[in-house]
Amino acid sequence: MEDTSKYLIHASVTADGIVERSDVVGAIFGQTEGLLGDDLDLRDLRQSGKVGRIDVEIASTGGQSHGHVTIATSLDKVETATLAASLETITRVGPCRADLEVDEIEDVRAAKRKEVVDRAKELLRTGFDDTIMSSDEILAEVRQQVRVEDITEYEGLPAGPRVTDSDAIIVVEGRSDVLTLLKYGIKNAIAVEGTNVPDAVAELTRHRTVTAFLDGDRGGDLILEELSQVGDIDYVAFAPADSSVEDLDHHELFAALRNKVPYETVSELNEPREAVAATDGSTTPAPRPSERETTSPAVADEPDGDRDDRTESTTASSEASDATDAVADSSEAATDPDAADGTPARAKTERTDAEPTGTAAQSADGHETRAGDADETSAGARAESASAADAETGPETVYGHATAIIRSETGRVRFLDTDGEAIGEADAADVYDELEGLEPVPTTVVLDTVLDQRLLDLAADRGVERIVARSLGQFTKRPTGVRIHAIDDVAERPPNGN
């Protein structure tokens, strides 16, 4: 009956006493019987199917009953309205006085028509695909699908098809990162699938030239630390801050690979990401080497049989070639801090696959370190090469101030002039307001808190030359005119001669 119903009669019923559903239904049939004649007798209409089931919902509270009656009909409008009016003649339900009032007559077909119209609008908006791909787009889509389908497994881990036979590999975090590199033609990546580096990857790193290409977040730092403990890393590259490798576009991905650095340059740092050249140019990228091995391993290493893949996309091939240089080159992303003034640098394991360029200074233990060349390096490179040793070559009181303010955990900030004399002091929480109005402008700021981007920008605007802080925060850019140091890098030992 519900499928053929035209109208629904909705009525409210109220009884002065406690009644049940069966009492309401009986009252409807009993008190309308013979009222409208044989043609509209409710029992006959019910038996013929012109009137559907009578639905009653009723509840009793406070000695009274209240409910709702719904009757479906397939009669025409006039007959339905007449039948509905007859319901209002009911004055008793069971033993109780009652009142029944018709609330509305709902046109079922109108509701269905509205649903049809709404659905038609939705289908008109979303059901038709008006996209017409050009020939180039069709070919690019097919090529990309072929590359993505090339993903394989190495010891159960997602990997590119060249991992097993390439001299160089790229270690990434997850399967989606491998797919992203495959999309851009790089086929020698393997995923560690979490911070627990698998034994298969650790063993593989001992026999290949390895670039760790990680997300620019805390997870990337943790994976690098784990990988360095169980494997052998040659180079490190990071996605831009707070970005994932899988989210990088074509140019960002290859820029990040070009700006990789040897692992030795970041192995002892608490924030290795800061030493890796950023893709936005905020830090100095690694310099080019003077020599390269003639058989240097490649990031996008492809055999002769893959030449068809290279001819499919000239742009992807040239970028992959640049990324090859990024892994094969032995480059320095940041000049060794202790080499800035000729003092001995940290002992580092020298790689035999390439010789870095630049002037070298012989250290006391026989290792060579790079000396900063002011004529050939940019202003940004000079700022990055400023080191803890450079911070300590000033007046002896710089170390004393750093110890007194930061090591003693005073929560203060002290401003020094060019002679290392204090010209002001305040709570570290007020450092921004103090520096903003301080005259004369301090040369050095000693700060017992974390140095953030806002304070660094103000220091650069005011002409501060050096900041020594408890620790360094995350920076999206580093002004070239301000040298910044964490206390652990500056005040581990007193200045020379003390």
Side-chain angles (χ1 to χ4, degrees), residues 99-391:
D99 179 58
L100 192 147
E101 182 179 355
V102 175
D103 298 326
E104 65 170 332
I105 299 176
E106 178 184 358
D107 190 335
V108 176
R109 294 168 300 177
K112 290 183 178 180
R113 283 194 293 267
K114 185 177 185 303
E115 291 180 2
V116 171
V117 171
D118 292 341
R119 180 57 177 161
K121 291 179 180 178
E122 182 180 354
L123 291 175
L124 187 62
R125 184 175 64 255
T126 63
F128 296 94
D129 186 3
D130 296 330
T131 303
I132 300 177
M133 299 179 67
S134 66
S135 298
D136 291 339
E137 290 173 334
I138 293 173
L139 293 176
E141 184 76 16
V142 174
R143 291 191 187 107
Q144 177 175 332
Q145 185 64 28
V146 170
R147 285 174 178 157
V148 170
E149 289 178 352
D150 280 341
I151 190 169
T152 60
E153 287 190 355
Y154 179 86
E155 299 291 338
L157 299 170
R162 297 301 310 278
V163 165
T164 56
D165 57 11
S166 177
D167 292 333
I169 62 171
I170 300 177
V171 178
V172 294
E173 295 188 21
R175 178 184 178 87
S176 56
D177 298 338
V178 176
L179 289 173
T180 299
L181 268 64
L182 278 174
K183 182 170 67 174
Y184 299 130
I186 301 176
K187 302 181 179 181
N188 56 335
I190 184 170
V192 296
E193 295 281 72
T195 56
N196 186 15
V197 178
D199 294 338
V201 174
E203 179 63 25
L204 191 63
T205 62
R206 298 186 180 98
H207 308 287
R208 311 292 176 88
T209 301
V210 179
T211 296
F213 189 16
L214 306 170
D215 295 345
D217 54 20
R218 179 59 177 162
D221 291 340
L222 295 176
I223 292 177
L224 178 61
E225 182 177 357
E226 169 78 9
L227 192 60
S228 66
Q229 293 177 7
V230 301
D232 185 9
I233 309 172
D234 297 282
Y235 300 97
V236 180
F238 280 100
D242 299 324
S243 298
S244 300
V245 172
E246 64 183 283
D247 298 328
L248 301 183
D249 61 25
H250 180 277
H251 300 293
E252 291 175 331
L253 185 140
F254 282 100
L257 285 175
R258 289 194 197 98
N259 291 334
K260 56 83 188 156
V261 297
Y263 174 69
E264 289 85 351
T265 64
V266 299
S267 60
E268 297 181 5
L269 299 180
N270 293 329
E271 298 290 342
R273 277 174 288 156
E274 294 189 4
V276 178
T279 57
D280 61 358
S282 60
T283 58
T284 305
R288 285 295 197 189
S290 59
E291 298 181 15
R292 289 171 46 195
E293 290 183 342
T294 57
T295 59
S296 59
V299 166
D301 189 13
E302 296 181 359
D304 294 339
D306 289 336
R307 288 176 183 171
D308 292 340
D309 291 340
R310 291 196 296 270
T311 58
E312 290 175 354
S313 177
T314 304
T315 303
S317 298
S318 62
E319 293 287 359
S321 176
D322 292 337
T324 297
D325 297 339
V327 170
D329 294 345
S330 174
S331 61
E332 297 283 352
T335 305
D336 191 288
D338 288 333
D341 59 356
T343 58
R346 298 191 191 94
K348 294 183 284 189
T349 304
E350 296 294 325
R351 298 289 176 182
T352 58
D353 56 351
E355 186 70 23
T357 61
T359 305
Q362 189 72 23
S363 67
D365 57 358
H367 288 77
E368 287 188 351
T369 60
R370 183 185 306 279
D373 189 340
D375 293 332
E376 296 180 355
T377 55
S378 64
R382 290 197 299 273
E384 287 297 323
S385 66
S387 64
D390 180 46

Side-chain angles (χ1 to χ4, degrees), residues 9-15 24 57-58 65-70 87-88 90 98-104:
I9 301 173
H10 297 282
S12 300
V13 59
T14 302
V24 177
E57 296 178 359
I58 195 161
S65 299
H66 304 274
H68 184 79
V69 179
T70 303
L87 298 177
E88 296 186 343
I90 297 173
D99 179 58
L100 192 147
E101 182 179 355
V102 175
D103 298 326
E104 65 170 332

